[in-house]
Amino acid sequence: MTTPARRLVLHLVSIVIGALIVVPVLFGVLGGFKDNGQLAENPLGLPHPWVVGNYTGILASGVFWRQLANSTLIAVATALVVVGASAMAAFVFARFAFRGREALFTLFAAGLMFPFAVAILPLFILLRSIGLLDNPLGVILPQAAFGLPVTIIILRQFFRTIPAEVEEAATLDGCNPAGFFWRILLPMARPALATVSVLAVVASWNNFMLPLVVFTDQNWWTLPVGVQAFQGQYSDDTARVLAYVVISMIPALGFYAVAERQLVGGLAGGVKG
């Protein structure tokens, strides 16, 4: 296949993939401006008239904003815990040589093989026994624990790309290992830290099962749980459900749009290193 033909095929494939992503989102956005009658009679057309009340009613509800605040709190706290703990662990794995280092690192990496759903029952029993049900720590700490393997792997690889001469120069200037970590290594690793922070926030934001199991108090529900509950409450009002889903997507899409450059740059830097 010639180069122009290959480019044409790639463009066509890209257009098809883009359409598969954009069309359902566009359907949801426009469907939120309709009523159930319009959805039944003209599901693919423009709303006529535009039912703005589906969106404004949700935005005027305190329940939505409370769930948004809960999701934000849990996602930010999870990212801080997992990135902080992983950075220190990755520093040890990358810059120190000790007996059993690779075996211990392999143990951490093995955590990637266990899906979250497998541990949900014993995790629920553990959280209940230590009194962390209906407590945001009951979601933050397990999410951080399951995020450790991939975060340590990414940060370790990045830390190993920093030349040893930099550490030697810092030591000659009187900098101990802790000072090198905080003052030199972390500032140099900002792209990698930004990358793993974005991954941690997105994973926490999309987590549905753990908040559903941990929170019986509706005041602590996150947006994914809130969407499921809203769908059950308004199962006969499809247009309002679509509006709620679309509004719930906006914070995550906005965050990803802002953090996309950091995410791609950090991954590219890690691969390059």
Side-chain angles (χ1 to χ4, degrees):
M1 182 180 295
T2 62
T3 300
R6 185 180 305 167
R7 290 178 179 176
L8 178 61
V9 171
L10 291 177
H11 283 303
L12 292 176
V13 172
S14 301
I15 292 173
V16 172
I17 295 175
L20 292 175
I21 297 174
V22 172
V23 170
V25 175
L26 185 61
F27 174 82
V29 172
L30 294 178
F33 284 105
K34 300 177 181 180
D35 54 30
N36 287 337
Q38 295 183 55
L39 282 175
E41 296 174 2
N42 187 20
L44 301 179
L46 293 175
H48 183 74
W50 292 71
V51 184
V52 184
N54 289 336
Y55 287 98
T56 57
I58 295 171
L59 293 175
S61 171
V63 174
F64 170 78
W65 295 107
R66 183 171 63 247
Q67 294 171 358
L68 176 62
N70 293 339
S71 292
T72 303
L73 170 66
I74 292 174
V76 172
T78 300
L80 291 175
V81 173
V82 70
V83 174
S86 298
M88 291 185 284
F91 173 63
V92 173
F93 285 131
R95 314 299 295 194
F96 291 89
F98 55 90
R99 185 183 300 273
R101 182 185 66 173
E102 295 304 320
L104 186 59
F105 178 75
T106 302
L107 180 62
F108 274 99
L112 294 173
M113 298 187 299
F114 297 95
F116 185 84
V118 173
I120 194 65
L121 180 57
L123 183 59
F124 172 79
I125 297 174
L126 176 63
L127 294 175
R128 183 180 60 184
S129 64
I130 60 179
L132 287 183
L133 295 182
D134 283 328
N135 188 320
L137 290 177
V139 176
I140 294 170
L141 296 179
Q143 285 184 159
F146 276 90
L148 284 176
V150 64
T151 309
I152 290 176
I153 291 173
I154 294 174
L155 291 181
R156 186 205 191 201
Q157 181 62 29
F158 194 94
F159 289 167
R160 295 179 72 174
T161 63
I162 297 176
E165 290 78 6
V166 175
E167 186 173 0
E168 294 174 359
T171 303
L172 292 176
D173 289 337
C175 192
N176 57 26
F180 171 73
F181 173 73
W182 290 106
R183 299 176 185 177
I184 299 175
L185 188 65
L186 289 186
M188 294 180 66
R190 284 178 182 174
L193 294 175
T195 298
V196 294
S197 297
V198 171
L199 294 176
V201 169
V202 171
S204 173
W205 194 277
N206 293 331
N207 196 341
F208 169 76
M209 182 176 296
L210 186 59
L212 178 66
V213 171
V214 172
F215 296 137
T216 57
D217 184 359
Q218 298 183 11
N219 291 325
W220 279 113
W221 280 359
T222 57
L223 274 177
V225 180
V227 169
Q228 189 268 346
F230 191 89
Q231 182 179 2
Q233 182 178 359
Y234 296 95
S235 58
D236 296 332
D237 195 345
T238 306
R240 184 175 295 187
V241 172
L242 288 175
Y244 198 95
V245 172
V246 169
I247 294 177
S248 300
M249 291 169 53
I250 292 176
L253 292 176
F255 170 77
Y256 183 79
V258 172
E260 178 185 9
R261 181 174 300 178
Q262 294 291 338
L263 177 63
V264 175
L267 291 176
V271 173
K272 182 179 178 180

